[in-house]
Coordinates of all heavy atoms in Angstrom, one line a residue:
M1 N 418.3 150.8 -9.9 CA 417.0 150.2 -9.3 C 415.9 151.2 -9.4 O 416.2 152.4 -9.1 CB 417.3 149.8 -7.8 CG 416.0 149.5 -7.1 SD 416.2 149.1 -5.4 CE 415.9 147.4 -5.3
T2 N 414.7 150.9 -9.9 CA 413.7 151.9 -10.2 C 412.7 151.8 -9.0 O 412.4 150.7 -8.7 CB 413.0 151.5 -11.5 OG1 413.9 151.6 -12.6 CG2 411.8 152.5 -11.8
H3 N 412.3 152.9 -8.6 CA 411.3 153.0 -7.5 C 410.0 153.5 -8.1 O 410.0 154.6 -8.9 CB 411.7 153.8 -6.5 CG 412.9 153.3 -5.6 ND1 412.7 152.2 -4.6 CD2 414.1 153.5 -5.8 CE1 413.9 151.9 -4.2 NE2 414.9 152.7 -4.9
T4 N 408.8 152.9 -7.9 CA 407.6 153.3 -8.5 C 406.6 153.7 -7.2 O 406.6 152.8 -6.3 CB 406.9 152.3 -9.4 OG1 407.9 152.1 -10.5 CG2 405.8 152.8 -10.0
A5 N 406.1 154.8 -7.4 CA 405.0 155.1 -6.3 C 403.8 154.6 -6.8 O 403.2 155.0 -7.9 CB 405.0 156.6 -6.1
V6 N 403.1 153.9 -5.9 CA 401.8 153.2 -6.2 C 400.9 153.6 -5.0 O 401.2 153.6 -3.9 CB 401.8 151.7 -6.3 CG1 400.4 151.2 -6.6 CG2 402.8 151.3 -7.5
G7 N 399.6 154.1 -5.5 CA 398.6 154.4 -4.3 C 397.4 153.6 -4.6 O 397.0 153.3 -5.7
W8 N 396.8 153.1 -3.5 CA 395.5 152.5 -3.5 C 394.5 153.4 -2.9 O 394.8 153.9 -1.7 CB 395.6 151.1 -2.7 CG 396.5 150.0 -3.4 CD1 397.2 150.1 -4.6 CD2 396.6 148.8 -2.9 NE1 397.9 149.0 -4.7 CE2 397.5 148.1 -3.7 CE3 396.2 148.1 -1.7 CZ2 398.0 146.8 -3.5 CZ3 396.6 146.8 -1.4 CH2 397.5 146.1 -2.3
H9 N 393.3 153.4 -3.3 CA 392.2 154.1 -2.6 C 391.2 153.0 -2.2 O 390.7 152.2 -3.0 CB 391.7 155.1 -3.6 CG 392.5 156.2 -4.1 ND1 392.8 157.2 -3.3 CD2 393.4 156.3 -5.1 CE1 393.7 158.1 -3.9 NE2 394.0 157.5 -5.0
I10 N 391.0 153.1 -1.0 CA 390.0 152.1 -0.3 C 388.8 152.9 0.0 O 388.8 154.0 0.6 CB 390.6 151.4 0.9 CG1 391.8 150.6 0.5 CG2 389.6 150.6 1.7 CD1 392.7 150.2 1.7
E11 N 387.6 152.4 -0.4 CA 386.3 153.0 -0.1 C 385.6 152.2 1.0 O 385.6 151.0 0.9 CB 385.5 153.1 -1.4 CG 386.1 153.9 -2.5 CD 385.3 153.9 -3.8 OE1 384.1 153.7 -3.6 OE2 385.8 154.2 -4.8
L12 N 385.1 153.0 1.9 CA 384.2 152.3 2.9 C 382.9 153.0 2.9 O 382.8 154.3 2.9 CB 384.9 152.6 4.3 CG 386.0 151.6 4.8 CD1 386.6 152.0 6.1 CD2 385.4 150.2 4.8
E13 N 381.8 152.2 3.0 CA 380.5 152.8 3.0 C 379.7 152.0 4.0 O 379.8 150.9 4.3 CB 379.8 152.5 1.6 CG 378.5 153.1 1.4 CD 377.9 152.8 0.1 OE1 378.2 153.5 -0.8 OE2 377.0 152.0 0.0
F14 N 378.9 152.9 4.8 CA 378.2 152.3 6.0 C 376.7 152.5 5.8 O 376.2 153.5 5.2 CB 378.6 153.1 7.2 CG 380.1 152.9 7.6 CD1 381.0 154.0 7.2 CD2 380.5 151.8 8.3 CE1 382.4 153.9 7.5 CE2 381.9 151.7 8.5 CZ 382.8 152.7 8.1
H15 N 376.0 151.4 6.3 CA 374.5 151.5 6.4 C 374.1 151.1 7.9 O 374.7 150.1 8.4 CB 373.8 150.5 5.4 CG 374.1 150.7 4.0 ND1 373.5 151.8 3.3 CD2 375.1 150.4 3.1 CE1 374.0 151.9 2.0 NE2 375.0 151.0 2.0
E16 N 373.3 152.1 8.4 CA 373.1 151.8 9.9 C 371.6 151.9 10.1 O 370.8 152.6 9.5 CB 373.9 152.8 10.7 CG 375.3 152.9 10.5 CD 376.0 154.1 11.2 OE1 376.3 154.0 12.4 OE2 376.1 155.2 10.5
D17 N 371.1 151.1 11.2 CA 369.8 151.4 11.8 C 370.1 151.5 13.3 O 371.4 151.6 13.8 CB 368.9 150.4 11.5 CG 369.3 148.9 11.9 OD1 370.0 148.8 13.0 OD2 368.9 148.0 11.1
D18 N 369.1 151.4 14.2 CA 369.4 151.6 15.6 C 370.2 150.4 16.3 O 370.8 150.6 17.3 CB 368.0 151.6 16.4 CG 367.3 152.9 16.1 OD1 367.9 153.9 15.6 OD2 366.0 152.9 16.3
Q19 N 370.2 149.3 15.7 CA 370.9 148.0 16.2 C 372.0 147.6 15.4 O 372.9 146.9 16.0 CB 369.8 146.9 16.4 CG 368.8 147.2 17.3 CD 369.2 147.4 18.8 OE1 370.1 146.6 19.3 NE2 368.8 148.3 19.6
H20 N 372.2 147.9 14.2 CA 373.1 147.2 13.2 C 373.9 148.3 12.5 O 373.3 149.3 12.0 CB 372.5 146.3 12.3 CG 371.6 145.3 12.9 ND1 370.3 145.4 13.2 CD2 372.1 144.2 13.5 CE1 369.8 144.4 13.9 NE2 370.8 143.6 14.0
T21 N 375.1 148.0 12.3 CA 376.0 148.8 11.3 C 376.6 147.8 10.3 O 377.2 146.7 10.7 CB 377.1 149.6 11.9 OG1 376.5 150.5 13.0 CG2 377.9 150.4 11.0
R22 N 376.5 148.1 9.1 CA 377.1 147.2 8.0 C 378.1 148.1 7.2 O 377.7 149.3 6.9 CB 376.0 146.7 7.1 CG 375.1 145.7 7.7 CD 373.8 145.4 6.9 NE 372.9 144.5 7.6 CZ 372.0 145.0 8.4 NH1 372.0 146.3 8.7 NH2 371.3 144.1 9.1
A23 N 379.2 147.5 7.0 CA 380.3 148.3 6.2 C 380.6 147.5 5.0 O 380.6 146.2 4.9 CB 381.5 148.4 7.2
A24 N 380.7 148.2 3.9 CA 381.3 147.6 2.7 C 382.6 148.3 2.3 O 382.7 149.5 2.3 CB 380.2 147.8 1.6
A25 N 383.5 147.4 2.0 CA 385.0 148.0 1.7 C 385.3 147.4 0.3 O 384.9 146.4 -0.1 CB 386.0 147.5 2.7
M26 N 386.0 148.3 -0.4 CA 386.4 148.0 -1.8 C 387.7 148.7 -2.0 O 387.9 150.0 -1.7 CB 385.2 148.5 -2.7 CG 385.4 148.0 -4.2 SD 386.5 149.0 -5.2 CE 385.5 150.6 -5.3
V27 N 388.6 148.0 -2.7 CA 389.8 148.5 -3.2 C 390.0 148.2 -4.7 O 389.7 147.1 -5.1 CB 391.1 148.1 -2.4 CG1 391.3 146.7 -2.5 CG2 392.4 148.8 -2.8
R28 N 390.4 149.2 -5.5 CA 390.8 148.9 -6.8 C 392.3 148.9 -7.0 O 393.1 149.7 -6.6 CB 390.3 150.1 -7.8 CG 388.8 150.1 -8.1 CD 388.4 151.1 -9.0 NE 386.9 151.3 -9.0 CZ 386.3 152.2 -8.2 NH1 387.0 153.0 -7.4 NH2 385.0 152.2 -8.2
L29 N 392.7 147.8 -7.5 CA 394.3 147.5 -7.6 C 394.8 147.9 -8.9 O 394.0 148.0 -10.0 CB 394.5 146.1 -7.5 CG 394.0 145.5 -6.0 CD1 394.2 144.0 -6.1 CD2 394.7 146.2 -5.0
P30 N 396.0 148.2 -9.1 CA 396.7 148.7 -10.3 C 396.5 147.8 -11.4 O 396.4 148.1 -12.6 CB 398.1 148.9 -9.9 CG 398.1 149.1 -8.4 CD 397.1 148.3 -7.9
D31 N 396.2 146.5 -11.2 CA 396.0 145.5 -12.3 C 394.7 145.5 -12.8 O 394.1 144.7 -13.6 CB 396.4 144.1 -11.9 CG 395.6 143.4 -10.9 OD1 394.6 144.0 -10.4 OD2 395.9 142.4 -10.4
G32 N 393.8 146.3 -12.2 CA 392.4 146.6 -12.6 C 391.3 145.7 -11.9 O 390.1 145.9 -12.0
T33 N 391.7 144.9 -11.0 CA 390.8 144.1 -10.3 C 390.3 144.9 -9.1 O 391.0 145.8 -8.6 CB 391.5 142.7 -9.7 OG1 392.6 143.1 -8.8 CG2 392.0 141.9 -10.8
E34 N 389.2 144.5 -8.6 CA 388.5 145.1 -7.4 C 388.3 143.9 -6.4 O 388.0 142.9 -6.7 CB 387.2 145.7 -7.7 CG 387.3 146.9 -8.6 CD 386.0 147.6 -8.9 OE1 384.9 147.0 -8.5 OE2 385.9 148.7 -9.6
V35 N 388.6 144.3 -5.1 CA 388.4 143.3 -4.0 C 387.3 144.0 -3.2 O 387.4 145.2 -2.7 CB 389.6 143.1 -3.3 CG1 389.4 142.2 -2.1 CG2 390.7 142.5 -4.2
R36 N 386.3 143.4 -2.9 CA 385.2 143.9 -2.1 C 384.8 142.9 -0.9 O 384.9 141.7 -1.0 CB 383.8 144.0 -3.0 CG 384.0 144.9 -4.2 CD 382.7 144.8 -5.0 NE 382.9 145.6 -6.1 CZ 382.4 146.8 -6.2 NH1 381.8 147.4 -5.3 NH2 382.6 147.6 -7.4
T37 N 384.7 143.6 0.2 CA 384.3 142.8 1.5 C 383.2 143.5 2.2 O 382.9 144.7 1.9 CB 385.6 142.7 2.3 OG1 386.1 143.9 2.8 CG2 386.6 141.9 1.6
H38 N 382.8 142.8 3.3 CA 381.7 143.4 4.2 C 382.2 143.1 5.6 O 382.8 142.2 5.9 CB 380.3 142.8 3.9 CG 379.8 143.2 2.5 ND1 380.1 142.3 1.4 CD2 379.1 144.2 2.0 CE1 379.6 142.9 0.4 NE2 378.9 144.1 0.8
G39 N 381.5 144.1 6.6 CA 381.8 143.9 8.0 C 380.4 144.2 8.5 O 379.6 145.0 8.0
H40 N 380.2 143.7 9.8 CA 378.9 143.9 10.4 C 379.2 144.2 12.0 O 380.1 143.6 12.5 CB 378.1 142.7 10.3 CG 376.7 142.8 10.8 ND1 376.4 142.4 12.1 CD2 375.6 143.4 10.4 CE1 375.1 142.6 12.4 NE2 374.7 143.2 11.4
A41 N 378.4 145.0 12.6 CA 378.4 145.2 14.0 C 377.0 145.3 14.5 O 376.2 145.9 13.9 CB 379.1 146.5 14.4
T42 N 376.8 144.7 15.7 CA 375.4 144.8 16.3 C 375.5 145.4 17.7 O 376.4 144.9 18.5 CB 374.8 143.4 16.5 OG1 374.8 142.7 15.1 CG2 373.5 143.4 17.1
R43 N 374.7 146.4 18.0 CA 374.6 147.1 19.3 C 373.9 146.2 20.3 O 372.8 145.8 19.9 CB 374.1 148.4 19.2 CG 374.1 149.2 20.5 CD 373.6 150.7 20.4 NE 372.2 150.7 19.9 CZ 371.2 150.6 20.8 NH1 371.4 150.6 22.1 NH2 369.9 150.8 20.4
H44 N 374.6 145.9 21.4 CA 373.8 145.2 22.5 C 372.7 146.1 23.1 O 373.0 147.3 23.2 CB 374.8 144.8 23.6 CG 374.2 143.9 24.6 ND1 373.5 144.3 25.7 CD2 374.2 142.6 24.7 CE1 373.1 143.3 26.4 NE2 373.5 142.2 25.8
H45 N 371.6 145.6 23.3 CA 370.4 146.4 23.6 C 370.7 147.3 25.0 O 370.0 148.2 25.2 CB 369.2 145.6 23.9 CG 369.2 144.7 25.0 ND1 369.8 143.4 25.0 CD2 368.8 144.8 26.3 CE1 369.8 142.8 26.1 NE2 369.1 143.5 26.9
T46 N 371.7 146.9 25.8 CA 372.0 147.7 27.0 C 373.0 148.8 26.7 O 373.2 149.6 27.7 CB 372.5 146.8 28.1 OG1 373.7 146.2 27.8 CG2 371.5 145.8 28.5
D47 N 373.5 148.7 25.6 CA 374.6 149.8 25.3 C 374.0 151.1 24.7 O 372.9 151.0 24.1 CB 375.5 149.3 24.1 CG 376.5 148.3 24.7 OD1 376.7 148.1 25.9 OD2 377.0 147.5 23.8
S48 N 374.6 152.3 25.0 CA 373.9 153.5 24.4 C 374.3 153.5 22.9 O 375.2 152.8 22.4 CB 374.6 154.7 25.1 OG 376.1 154.6 24.8
N49 N 373.4 154.2 22.2 CA 373.5 154.4 20.8 C 374.7 155.4 20.4 O 374.6 156.4 20.5 CB 372.1 154.8 20.2 CG 372.1 154.7 18.6 OD1 373.0 154.2 18.0 ND2 371.0 155.3 18.1
Q50 N 375.7 154.6 19.9 CA 377.0 155.4 19.5 C 377.3 154.9 18.1 O 378.1 154.1 17.9 CB 378.1 155.1 20.4 CG 377.8 155.5 21.8 CD 379.1 155.1 22.8 OE1 380.2 155.3 22.3 NE2 378.7 154.7 24.0
P51 N 376.7 155.5 17.1 CA 377.0 155.1 15.7 C 378.4 155.1 15.3 O 378.8 154.2 14.5 CB 376.2 156.2 14.8 CG 375.1 156.7 15.7 CD 375.8 156.7 17.2
R52 N 379.3 155.9 15.8 CA 380.7 156.0 15.3 C 381.3 154.7 15.8 O 382.2 154.1 15.1 CB 381.3 157.1 15.9 CG 382.8 157.3 15.4 CD 383.5 158.6 15.9 NE 383.6 158.3 17.4 CZ 384.1 159.2 18.2 NH1 384.4 160.5 17.7 NH2 384.3 159.0 19.5
V53 N 381.0 154.2 17.0 CA 381.5 152.9 17.4 C 381.1 151.8 16.5 O 382.1 150.9 16.2 CB 381.2 152.6 18.9 CG1 381.7 151.3 19.5 CG2 381.8 153.8 19.9
G54 N 379.9 151.8 16.1 CA 379.5 150.6 15.3 C 380.1 150.8 14.0 O 380.6 149.7 13.3
E55 N 380.5 152.0 13.5 CA 381.2 152.1 12.1 C 382.6 151.7 12.4 O 383.1 151.0 11.4 CB 381.2 153.6 11.7 CG 379.8 154.1 11.3 CD 379.8 155.6 11.1 OE1 380.8 156.3 11.3 OE2 378.7 156.2 10.8
E56 N 383.3 151.9 13.5 CA 384.6 151.6 13.7 C 384.7 149.9 13.8 O 385.6 149.4 13.1 CB 385.2 152.1 15.1 CG 385.3 153.6 14.9 CD 385.6 154.3 16.3 OE1 385.5 153.7 17.3 OE2 386.0 155.5 16.3
V57 N 383.7 149.3 14.4 CA 383.8 147.9 14.5 C 383.5 147.2 13.1 O 384.2 146.3 12.7 CB 382.8 147.3 15.6 CG1 382.7 145.8 15.6 CG2 383.3 147.8 17.1
A58 N 382.5 147.7 12.5 CA 382.1 147.1 11.2 C 383.2 147.4 10.1 O 383.6 146.5 9.3 CB 380.7 147.6 10.8
G59 N 383.6 148.7 10.3 CA 384.8 149.0 9.3 C 386.0 148.2 9.5 O 386.7 147.7 8.5
A60 N 386.4 148.1 10.8 CA 387.7 147.2 11.0 C 387.4 145.8 10.5 O 388.3 145.1 9.9 CB 387.8 147.3 12.6
R61 N 386.3 145.2 10.7 CA 385.9 143.8 10.3 C 386.0 143.8 8.8 O 386.5 142.8 8.2 CB 384.6 143.3 10.8 CG 384.7 143.1 12.3 CD 383.3 142.7 12.9 NE 383.5 142.3 14.3 CZ 382.5 142.3 15.2 NH1 381.3 142.6 14.9 NH2 382.7 142.0 16.4
A62 N 385.5 144.8 8.1 CA 385.5 144.7 6.6 C 387.0 144.9 6.2 O 387.4 144.3 5.2 CB 384.7 145.9 6.1
L63 N 387.7 145.8 6.7 CA 389.2 146.0 6.4 C 390.0 144.7 6.7 O 390.9 144.4 5.9 CB 389.7 147.1 7.0 CG 389.2 148.6 6.6 CD1 389.7 149.6 7.4 CD2 389.6 148.8 5.1
N64 N 389.7 144.1 7.8 CA 390.4 142.8 8.0 C 390.1 141.8 7.1 O 391.1 141.0 6.6 CB 390.0 142.3 9.5 CG 390.7 141.1 9.9 OD1 391.9 141.1 10.1 ND2 390.1 140.0 10.1
E65 N 388.9 141.6 6.6 CA 388.5 140.7 5.6 C 389.2 141.1 4.3 O 389.6 140.2 3.5 CB 387.0 140.6 5.4 CG 386.6 139.6 4.3 CD 387.0 138.1 4.7 OE1 387.2 137.8 5.7 OE2 387.2 137.4 3.6
L66 N 389.3 142.4 4.0 CA 390.0 142.9 2.8 C 391.4 142.5 2.9 O 391.9 142.0 1.8 CB 389.9 144.4 2.7 CG 390.2 145.1 1.5 CD1 389.4 144.7 0.2 CD2 390.3 146.6 1.7
A67 N 392.0 142.7 4.0 CA 393.4 142.2 4.1 C 393.6 140.7 3.8 O 394.5 140.3 3.1 CB 394.0 142.6 5.5
M68 N 392.8 139.9 4.4 CA 392.9 138.5 4.2 C 392.6 138.1 2.7 O 393.3 137.3 2.2 CB 391.8 137.8 5.1 CG 392.1 138.0 6.5 SD 393.7 137.6 7.1 CE 393.8 135.8 6.8
Q69 N 391.7 138.8 2.0 CA 391.5 138.4 0.6 C 392.8 138.9 -0.2 O 393.1 138.2 -1.2 CB 390.3 139.0 0.2 CG 389.0 138.4 0.6 CD 387.8 138.8 0.0 OE1 387.8 139.3 -1.3 NE2 386.6 138.6 0.5
L70 N 393.4 140.1 0.2 CA 394.4 140.4 -0.6 C 395.7 139.4 -0.3 O 396.4 139.2 -1.3 CB 394.9 141.9 -0.1 CG 394.1 143.0 -0.7 CD1 394.3 144.3 0.1 CD2 394.1 143.1 -2.2
L71 N 395.7 138.9 0.9 CA 396.9 137.9 1.2 C 396.6 136.7 0.2 O 397.6 136.1 -0.2 CB 396.9 137.6 2.6 CG 397.6 138.5 3.5 CD1 397.4 138.2 4.9 CD2 399.1 138.7 3.2
V72 N 395.3 136.2 0.2 CA 395.1 135.0 -0.7 C 395.4 135.3 -2.1 O 396.0 134.5 -2.8 CB 393.6 134.6 -0.4 CG1 393.0 133.7 -1.4 CG2 393.4 134.1 1.0
K73 N 395.0 136.5 -2.5 CA 395.3 136.9 -4.0 C 396.9 136.8 -4.2 O 397.3 136.3 -5.2 CB 394.7 138.3 -4.2 CG 394.9 138.7 -5.7 CD 394.3 140.1 -5.9 CE 394.3 140.5 -7.3 NZ 395.7 140.6 -7.9
A74 N 397.5 137.6 -3.3 CA 399.0 137.4 -3.5 C 399.7 136.1 -3.3 O 400.6 135.8 -4.2 CB 399.7 138.4 -2.4
H75 N 399.1 135.4 -2.5 CA 399.6 133.9 -2.4 C 399.4 133.1 -3.7 O 400.3 132.5 -4.2 CB 398.9 133.2 -1.2 CG 399.4 131.9 -1.0 ND1 400.7 131.6 -0.5 CD2 398.9 130.7 -1.0 CE1 400.8 130.4 -0.3 NE2 399.7 129.7 -0.6
G76 N 398.2 133.3 -4.3 CA 397.9 132.6 -5.5 C 398.8 133.1 -6.6 O 399.3 132.3 -7.5
E77 N 399.1 134.4 -6.7 CA 400.0 135.0 -7.7 C 401.5 134.5 -7.5 O 402.1 134.3 -8.5 CB 399.9 136.5 -7.8 CG 398.6 137.0 -8.2 CD 398.5 138.5 -8.0 OE1 399.3 139.2 -7.4 OE2 397.4 139.0 -8.4
I78 N 401.8 134.3 -6.3 CA 403.2 133.7 -6.0 C 403.3 132.3 -6.6 O 404.2 132.1 -7.3 CB 403.5 133.8 -4.5 CG1 403.7 135.3 -4.1 CG2 404.7 132.9 -4.2 CD1 403.7 135.4 -2.6
D79 N 402.2 131.5 -6.3 CA 402.3 130.1 -6.8 C 402.2 130.1 -8.3 O 402.9 129.3 -8.9 CB 401.0 129.4 -6.2 CG 401.1 129.1 -4.7 OD1 402.2 129.4 -4.1 OD2 400.0 128.6 -4.1
E80 N 401.4 131.0 -8.9 CA 401.3 131.0 -10.4 C 402.6 131.3 -11.1 O 403.1 130.8 -11.9 CB 400.2 131.9 -10.8 CG 400.0 131.9 -12.2 CD 398.7 132.8 -12.6 OE1 397.8 132.8 -12.0 OE2 398.9 133.6 -13.6
A81 N 403.3 132.3 -10.4 CA 404.6 132.8 -11.0 C 405.7 131.8 -10.8 O 406.6 131.6 -11.7 CB 405.0 134.1 -10.5
S82 N 405.7 131.0 -9.7 CA 406.8 130.2 -9.3 C 406.5 128.8 -9.9 O 407.4 127.9 -10.0 CB 407.0 130.1 -7.8 OG 405.8 129.5 -7.2
G83 N 405.3 128.4 -10.2 CA 405.0 127.1 -10.6 C 405.0 126.1 -9.6 O 405.0 124.8 -9.8
R84 N 404.8 126.4 -8.4 CA 404.9 125.5 -7.3 C 403.9 126.0 -6.1 O 403.4 127.2 -6.2 CB 406.3 125.2 -6.6 CG 406.8 126.6 -6.1 CD 408.3 126.5 -5.4 NE 408.9 127.6 -5.2 CZ 408.7 128.3 -4.0 NH1 407.9 127.8 -3.1 NH2 409.2 129.4 -3.7
T85 N 403.7 125.2 -5.2 CA 402.8 125.6 -4.0 C 403.7 126.2 -2.9 O 404.6 125.4 -2.5 CB 402.0 124.4 -3.5 OG1 401.2 123.9 -4.6 CG2 401.1 124.8 -2.4
S86 N 403.4 127.4 -2.6 CA 404.4 128.0 -1.6 C 403.7 127.9 -0.2 O 402.5 127.5 -0.2 CB 404.5 129.4 -1.9 OG 403.3 130.1 -2.1
H87 N 404.5 128.3 0.8 CA 403.9 128.2 2.2 C 402.9 129.3 2.3 O 403.0 130.4 1.7 CB 405.0 128.5 3.2 CG 406.0 127.3 3.2 ND1 405.7 126.2 3.7 CD2 407.1 127.2 2.7 CE1 406.8 125.3 3.6 NE2 407.7 126.0 3.0
P88 N 401.8 129.2 3.1 CA 400.8 130.1 3.3 C 401.4 131.4 3.9 O 402.4 131.4 4.7 CB 399.8 129.6 4.3 CG 400.1 128.1 4.3 CD 401.5 127.9 3.8
I89 N 400.8 132.5 3.5 CA 401.2 133.9 4.0 C 400.4 134.1 5.3 O 399.2 134.1 5.2 CB 400.9 135.0 3.0 CG1 401.8 134.7 1.7 CG2 401.3 136.3 3.6 CD1 401.4 135.6 0.5
N90 N 401.1 134.3 6.4 CA 400.4 134.5 7.7 C 400.5 135.9 8.1 O 401.5 136.6 7.7 CB 401.0 133.7 8.8 CG 400.7 132.1 8.4 OD1 399.8 131.7 8.1 ND2 401.8 131.4 8.5
V91 N 399.5 136.3 8.8 CA 399.5 137.8 9.3 C 399.9 137.7 10.8 O 399.8 136.8 11.5 CB 398.2 138.5 9.2 CG1 397.9 138.8 7.7 CG2 397.0 137.6 9.7

């Protein structure tokens, strides 16, 4: 049995103003494809300005969407390789 070490590098980029944080996530896969997603956080006007918290929320949302897109991609590849419709992959 052969074991192969594979690494993925995920990039997160943030854009912020006083009320909003936007996160963009991207992963390049070994097959050459890129998956890109976005996440968003809005600070409630009564909350103190804590940019790191906005980054954590927006980043988590972007990564969650990235995970869902990867599951959809994997599900499609399973179907294509097997020639049938498989059960959905749940998290």
Side-chain angles (χ1 to χ4, degrees):
M1 176 183 245
T2 303
H3 295 279
T4 304
V6 176
W8 293 0
H9 296 276
I10 298 171
E11 296 178 21
L12 281 173
E13 185 176 287
F14 299 96
H15 297 279
E16 301 174 90
D17 61 32
D18 288 342
Q19 297 292 320
H20 305 94
T21 304
R22 291 168 187 82
M26 189 271 296
V27 62
R28 284 185 194 94
L29 301 173
D31 68 2
T33 61
E34 292 182 354
V35 180
R36 297 172 183 266
T37 61
H38 294 89
H40 184 263
T42 302
R43 181 175 65 88
H44 190 273
H45 68 275
T46 61
D47 292 338
S48 62
N49 191 5
Q50 299 180 41
R52 189 179 64 188
V53 173
E55 290 170 4
E56 290 169 352
V57 172
R61 289 176 174 160
L63 291 171
N64 185 59
E65 181 60 26
L66 187 65
M68 297 308 295
Q69 286 192 25
L70 288 169
L71 283 170
V72 168
K73 182 180 183 308
H75 186 66
E77 291 172 358
I78 290 168
D79 288 353
E80 185 177 312
S82 68
R84 61 182 174 77
T85 301
S86 56
H87 296 286
I89 300 170
N90 296 311
V91 288

